[in-house]
Amino acid sequence: MLKNFFSIAYRNLIKNKAFSIINIAGLAIGMAAAALICMVILHQKSYDQFHEKKARIYEAWNRATFSGELHCWNTTPKPLARAVESDLPEVECATRVDWGSNFLFTIGEKKIKANGKAVDTTFLKIFTFPMKQGDPMTALNDPFSIIVTETFAKKFFGNENPMGKVLKVDNKDNLTVTGVLQDPPANTRFEFEYLYPWSYRAKRGWDDTNWGNNSTRTYVLLKENASLANANEKLKSIKGKYDKDAENWQMFLYPLDRWRLYSRFKGDVEDGGLIDDLRIFGIIAIFLLLIACINFMNLSTARSEKRAKEVGIRKVVGAKRFSLIGHFVGESILLASISGILSLGFLLAIIPSFNKLIDEKLSLHLTSPLFWIAWIGFIVVTGLVAGSYPAFFMSSFNPSSVLKGTFKAANTLITPRKLLVVLQFTFAIIMIICTSIVKQQLDHAKNRESGYDRSQLVYTNMEGDIEKNYSLIRNELLSSGAVSSVTKTSAPLTQGWSDSWGFKWEGMGPNDDKLDFDIFCEDQDLVKTAGLEMAEGRDFDLNTFKTDSTAILINQSAQKVMKFDHPIGQIIRNGDQDQYHVVGVIKDFVLNSPFQPTRPMMINGVKGWFSIVHYKLNKDHAVADNLKKIEAIYKKYNPEYPFSYKFIDEEYDTKFKTEQRMGTMASIFAGLTIFISCLGLFGLATYMAENRIKEIGVRKVLGASVTGITALLSKDFLRLVMYSFLVATPVAWWLMHKWLSQYPYRVGIDWKVFVFAGFMSFLISILTVSYQSIKAAIANPVQSLRTE
């Protein structure tokens, strides 16, 4: 029985080689693409799901009204962790995690910079990062201790035991290795090469007890069976308890399983996030696989006449419909199995390149039994979906009609086949439209005027002795001719590291103290160095104006919300002591996201804080020569640290990383959708041409032209594509309207996109079908009309 099944299946594969290749290739590509998308989705959903206590882990969030809108965000005051431990009985423990450090480590002659995080001693009690050596409960008790990862230990100590080794940090303090962790997995928000105790930050003067300074993240572990609702109710008023200026300020706990996918809020209501993109790609995966299955259905049912006698004879000799269904479904599962093997090969070949494209670490877990169970299930489901309709259709043939030669399947099949082709191309056209609009939105943001000159603008972090020797470094940089101007700032020009509220000025409204401003700092020459434009006034100039020590700059958005008709000379107060006078208004420039409106900004002068040095390279010299001179100067005044730098234009381009990645993925899968659809269309066109070969011969004998015959064979397919376009247009418009609504700065949906998509779909269809149509039209009618 089984041998007979494989023999028949094999003969059908060999007998119809072209159709078998199209079916197998289409299914293989569809399965590989769908599996790849599923891997992306599962990887994103797996972030931080490996923690053993994940059901009890929460992140503390703020909720307050600023600039007339309710906002939720996840940076919190540093004292919050200890406060929730003492004030909330539902809390077992809490930990703070800073934004990361890039310390210079020295041992002997070896110097290496590495990225790590400061955490409380409770961090490893809350989160599951297994230790290879040391006690996770006590390893960070000493302020001068450090836990390193296996990779870090290997990098520094080779095969030696790292426990007890001493590392000098930033040429200041000695930290002792008290633990070795397994390297963190790729699917976690916590990326680090080492952990050091929060108490060390206090030793360095980096800690504070200011409840108004929201500058760190706080994580909370609730006790078993503790009520989240009760904890949140008590947490609401905790900030007001310690900060009398924040009585209406609320805080709440946000669960671990929502961090990665859902942490976008509109007001205080959760408003999606990464999950929206994953849902879109999930739909793409389903339709890619469905399109491949539709190809299988169309080609199988199109060839049903070829197997009609087989069905008739089987029924005459006693085969039941159920057994025929099982036979045909079995054949489709066999084809799906072959396609599954091919698709697995495709995945192994393309995953490394795909990882580089999306900057992730996807992998096939070939040694896991669960992987093989899932893969076999995937193949079986694909085979069932692809083979279900052909199996039920062919098993319904009437043996009497089949064996008398009066059976004709074409008329019966025309409606289902048309619907399937329309469904295929509807999705293909939707993908063309959506991909085009995603690219337009990306280009729209990229082409937005940034407000400053990014070319040859470079920055370096202030570390080691740079701050102490800044004046010397600045003077020597300018005299070297390598740079045309220098300024020190609080953050890179591409990033907003600080914001604040509570400012006061003459003429302010009753609620204006809740207006939120981006805060930036510079010493002098920011306008010259960055190529910013002044709307009014001037930049800071302490050499000429001694009173500039209390000066401030604002941008046009700040001028607008502060309702200054004549901003120069206006007084802005921050609290009871700090008072500043406006000396200039800078034209708005993009500090954070180019997809968002420009926020109000204040730029402080020399009384601010500084961590970055920007310099404009001299355009008259080669970039490499400029950097070589700059490095020599930095080595002279900061010899213990390696010279490092970043170009602003490159940093600015990273702002488009997420959208660029999504657009590229959408383009790839749109291309695959079109290819698979065309593969099926090509197969159908081939079959239709074969099926009408005698009709074509008769028409040619009667004088029909090649053009006329080609048009005759092509018009039915083009009509179906037109129906697909009519269905796809409103669906694509709705999808893109919804997607674009998340971007305040967005492109409009242009009708030309739909015209382009319609033209491309018709062009692709014509090119796909015309080959077979022309081939059939120019065939020798003598051959086609020859008697069997």
Side-chain angles (χ1 to χ4, degrees):
M1 182 73 178
L2 196 60
K3 182 180 178 182
N4 179 58
F5 166 77
F6 281 109
S7 297
I8 294 172
Y10 176 75
R11 283 200 294 269
N12 276 309
L13 282 174
I14 298 302
K15 185 179 179 182
N16 303 284
K17 293 186 182 71
F19 293 102
S20 298
I21 290 171
I22 290 173
N23 267 337
I24 291 170
L27 273 180
I29 294 170
M31 291 173 74
L36 197 60
I37 295 174
C38 288
M39 288 174 67
V40 173
I41 294 172
L42 291 173
H43 179 70
Q44 294 297 332
K45 294 185 75 172
S46 72
Y47 264 69
D48 286 307
Q49 297 304 305
F50 57 86
H51 300 296
E52 294 174 1
K53 300 173 184 176
K54 62 182 180 181
R56 298 192 283 136
I57 299 174
Y58 297 85
E59 184 178 33
W61 279 56
N62 285 296
R63 181 194 293 123
T65 300
F66 294 100
S67 303
E69 295 183 2
L70 187 62
H71 295 271
C72 296
W73 71 99
N74 63 344
T75 51
T76 55
K78 297 184 183 76
L80 177 65
R82 303 291 77 82
V84 295
E85 288 178 339
S86 62
D87 293 6
L88 274 64
E90 293 84 3
V91 172
E92 183 172 323
C93 60
T95 184
R96 295 163 292 186
V97 180
D98 75 347
W99 294 101
S101 308
N102 192 27
F103 288 151
L104 175 70
F105 290 94
T106 306
I107 181 169
E109 297 299 318
K110 188 179 291 185
K111 295 178 181 291
I112 297 177
K113 294 186 75 173
N115 295 307
K117 294 187 181 297
V119 298
D120 284 311
T121 57
T122 50
F123 179 80
L124 294 176
K125 181 179 180 181
I126 297 173
F127 297 103
T128 307
F129 292 105
M131 291 191 73
K132 304 291 288 186
Q133 293 178 267
D135 183 350
M137 298 298 105
T138 61
L140 294 176
N141 285 352
D142 190 315
F144 295 97
S145 59
I146 186 171
I147 298 175
V148 299
T149 62
E150 289 181 290
T151 297
F152 183 98
K154 187 76 174 176
K155 189 190 304 181
F156 249 110
F157 308 110
N159 295 324
E160 293 182 38
N161 183 1
M163 294 294 288
K165 299 286 187 181
V166 175
L167 295 167
K168 182 175 281 295
V169 177
D170 286 348
N171 295 309
K172 294 181 183 297
D173 300 309
N174 292 324
L175 301 187
T176 303
V177 177
T178 55
V180 180
L181 285 172
Q182 288 183 11
D183 290 335
N187 57 340
T188 179
R189 66 158 54 179
F190 302 106
E191 297 179 6
F192 57 86
E193 294 177 85
Y194 57 87
L195 299 173
Y196 66 98
W198 194 275
S199 53
Y200 179 70
R201 288 179 60 87
K203 296 287 185 182
R204 293 283 294 265
W206 300 336
D207 200 10
D208 64 72
T209 57
N210 181 6
W211 278 85
N213 181 10
N214 294 278
S215 57
T216 193
R217 288 181 172 180
T218 304
Y219 300 95
V220 173
L221 178 68
L222 293 187
K223 294 177 181 176
E224 292 187 21
N225 303 317
S227 168
L228 174 62
N230 290 341
N232 271 333
E233 187 62 33
K234 294 168 185 172
L235 189 61
K236 278 183 182 180
S237 57
I238 196 168
K239 187 172 174 69
K241 176 181 176 181
Y242 293 97
D243 183 359
K244 299 307 179 184
D245 294 329
E247 292 181 2
N248 297 321
W249 193 301
Q250 294 184 357
M251 305 189 83
F252 64 97
L253 297 178
Y254 196 59
L256 178 147
D257 60 358
R258 314 292 287 182
W259 297 349
R260 179 75 174 176
L261 304 180
Y262 298 91
S263 53
R264 187 177 70 210
F265 284 80
K266 189 173 185 179
D268 64 343
V269 178
E270 196 177 64
D271 189 40
L274 180 60
I275 189 65
D276 295 332
D277 294 340
L278 296 186
R279 284 170 179 158
I280 291 171
F281 282 107
I283 293 170
I284 291 173
I286 292 171
F287 273 93
L288 271 169
L289 190 60
L290 186 58
I291 285 172
C293 291
I294 286 172
N295 277 354
F296 188 96
M297 295 176 189
N298 275 339
L299 293 179
S300 296
T301 52
R303 293 189 297 114
S304 58
E305 281 188 58
K306 304 286 186 183
R307 302 191 69 178
K309 288 186 179 180
E310 175 191 341
V311 173
I313 292 171
R314 284 176 176 272
K315 283 194 170 184
V316 167
V317 298
K320 301 295 182 183
R321 188 180 182 189
F322 181 78
S323 66
L324 289 173
I325 291 172
H327 178 84
F328 291 127
V329 168
E331 285 188 5
S332 69
I333 292 175
L334 179 62
L335 278 176
S337 299
I338 298 171
S339 299
I341 294 170
L342 284 177
S343 64
L344 199 58
F346 292 160
L347 286 174
L348 290 171
I350 64 176
I351 281 177
S353 299
F354 191 72
N355 279 337
K356 291 180 182 178
L357 177 70
I358 66 171
D359 193 24
E360 289 288 0
K361 296 179 181 178
L362 305 180
S363 61
L364 290 171
H365 302 287
L366 299 178
T367 58
S368 170
L370 288 176
F371 168 81
W372 291 107
I373 292 171
W375 191 253
I376 291 169
F378 180 51
I379 289 172
V380 171
V381 169
T382 302
L384 288 172
V385 172
S388 56
Y389 173 66
F392 279 95
F393 176 79
M394 288 190 285
S395 65
S396 67
F397 292 167
N398 187 326
S400 175
S401 300
V402 168
L403 297 178
K404 283 180 181 179
T406 59
F407 172 79
K408 282 287 179 184
N411 292 333
T412 309
L413 288 173
I414 188 166
T415 301
R417 190 181 304 145
K418 282 183 178 180
L419 288 174
L420 292 173
V421 171
V422 167
L423 181 61
Q424 272 188 317
F425 271 86
T426 295
F427 190 69
I429 294 168
I430 288 173
M431 289 294 289
I432 294 174
I433 294 171
C434 292
T435 302
S436 300
I437 292 176
V438 168
K439 184 179 185 304
Q440 284 187 358
Q441 170 65 5
L442 187 62
D443 291 341
H444 183 62
K446 279 186 172 181
N447 295 332
R448 179 182 180 181
E449 182 58 51
S450 64
Y452 59 94
D453 183 8
R454 304 191 299 271
S455 65
Q456 298 202 37
L457 185 57
V458 184
Y459 75 88
T460 298
N461 292 322
M462 294 184 73
E463 54 190 2
D465 294 331
I466 293 177
E467 185 172 8
K468 181 178 68 176
N469 295 324
Y470 173 70
S471 296
L472 296 172
I473 293 173
R474 181 179 187 277
N475 292 336
E476 199 156 329
L477 284 171
L478 291 171
S479 63
S480 71
V483 304
S484 57
S485 59
V486 183
T487 184
K488 63 178 179 179
T489 62
S490 56
L493 269 168
T494 53
Q495 301 173 41
W497 286 357
S498 180
D499 65 300
S500 190
W501 56 89
F503 298 99
K504 296 180 181 179
W505 60 92
E506 186 177 347
M508 65 182 295
N511 297 317
D512 284 354
D513 62 330
K514 289 295 185 181
L515 288 174
D516 190 43
F517 295 83
D518 282 330
I519 304 299
F520 205 76
C521 303
E522 60 134 329
D523 63 336
Q524 60 183 347
D525 289 340
L526 175 64
V527 172
K528 179 182 177 182
T529 305
L532 296 171
E533 294 186 48
M534 299 297 302
E536 293 183 56
R538 57 176 176 79
D539 196 358
F540 301 131
D541 185 357
L542 271 173
N543 294 327
T544 306
F545 305 96
K546 300 302 180 184
T547 57
D548 273 9
S549 60
T550 58
I552 196 169
L553 302 177
I554 61 174
N555 68 352
Q556 290 173 309
S557 292
Q559 179 185 357
K560 183 178 180 180
V561 299
M562 299 172 91
K563 302 179 181 64
F564 286 154
D565 293 328
H566 305 287
I568 306 303
Q570 292 284 349
I571 302 299
I572 298 174
R573 294 183 299 278
N574 183 11
D576 297 327
Q577 297 180 347
D578 295 330
Q579 181 172 296
Y580 304 94
H581 61 282
V582 178
V583 298
V585 179
I586 289 179
K587 288 186 177 181
D588 287 343
F589 66 93
V590 177
L591 179 66
N592 290 304
S593 172
F595 297 99
Q596 301 293 331
T598 305
R599 284 167 41 84
M601 177 190 291
M602 294 184 183
I603 301 178
N604 294 322
V606 292
K607 286 189 175 181
W609 62 97
F610 302 99
S611 57
I612 300 293
V613 179
H614 285 90
Y615 32 91
K616 190 77 167 182
L617 300 183
N618 190 331
K619 295 182 179 180
D620 295 333
H621 303 151
V623 172
D625 292 339
N626 286 332
L627 291 174
K628 189 174 181 181
K629 290 180 181 178
I630 294 169
E631 181 177 11
I633 294 168
Y634 270 91
K635 283 290 187 183
K636 177 180 177 182
Y637 292 104
N638 194 34
E640 299 299 329
Y641 282 75
F643 173 64
S644 61
Y645 59 89
K646 291 182 180 180
F647 283 90
I648 286 289
D649 54 358
E650 293 177 358
E651 288 288 294
Y652 191 84
D653 286 343
T654 63
K655 294 176 181 289
F656 306 97
K657 187 176 180 181
T658 299
E659 285 74 18
Q660 183 81 56
R661 188 163 52 199
M662 183 177 180
T664 304
M665 288 176 64
S667 299
I668 291 171
F669 293 123
L672 288 175
T673 302
I674 296 165
F675 177 76
I676 296 170
S677 299
C678 290
L679 202 61
L681 199 62
F682 181 82
L684 277 178
T686 302
Y687 177 77
M688 292 305 174
E690 288 179 3
N691 218 32
R692 301 177 70 175
I693 193 69
K694 290 189 184 298
E695 176 193 346
I696 294 168
V698 171
R699 287 178 180 272
K700 288 197 71 175
V701 168
L702 295 177
S705 66
V706 171
T707 304
I709 293 172
T710 302
L712 175 71
L713 295 174
S714 302
K715 66 179 182 180
D716 286 341
F717 291 109
L718 296 181
R719 189 181 295 119
L720 296 180
V721 174
M722 182 186 70
Y723 296 151
S724 299
F725 175 73
L726 294 176
V727 174
T729 297
V731 175
W733 182 90
W734 178 79
L735 286 172
M736 286 294 95
H737 176 75
K738 188 174 181 181
W739 181 74
L740 286 170
S741 65
Q742 67 181 306
Y743 299 106
Y745 185 82
R746 58 179 177 264
V747 70
I749 301 179
D750 194 341
W751 60 270
K752 294 177 185 176
V753 174
F754 299 93
V755 173
F756 170 76
F759 172 76
M760 288 300 298
S761 58
F762 276 97
L763 179 63
I764 291 168
S765 303
I766 290 170
L767 293 175
T768 303
V769 174
S770 60
Y771 171 76
Q772 287 299 334
S773 301
I774 295 171
K775 182 180 176 183
I778 63 176
N780 189 344
V782 175
Q783 296 293 328
S784 59
L785 295 175
R786 181 177 292 167
T787 321
E788 293 181 6

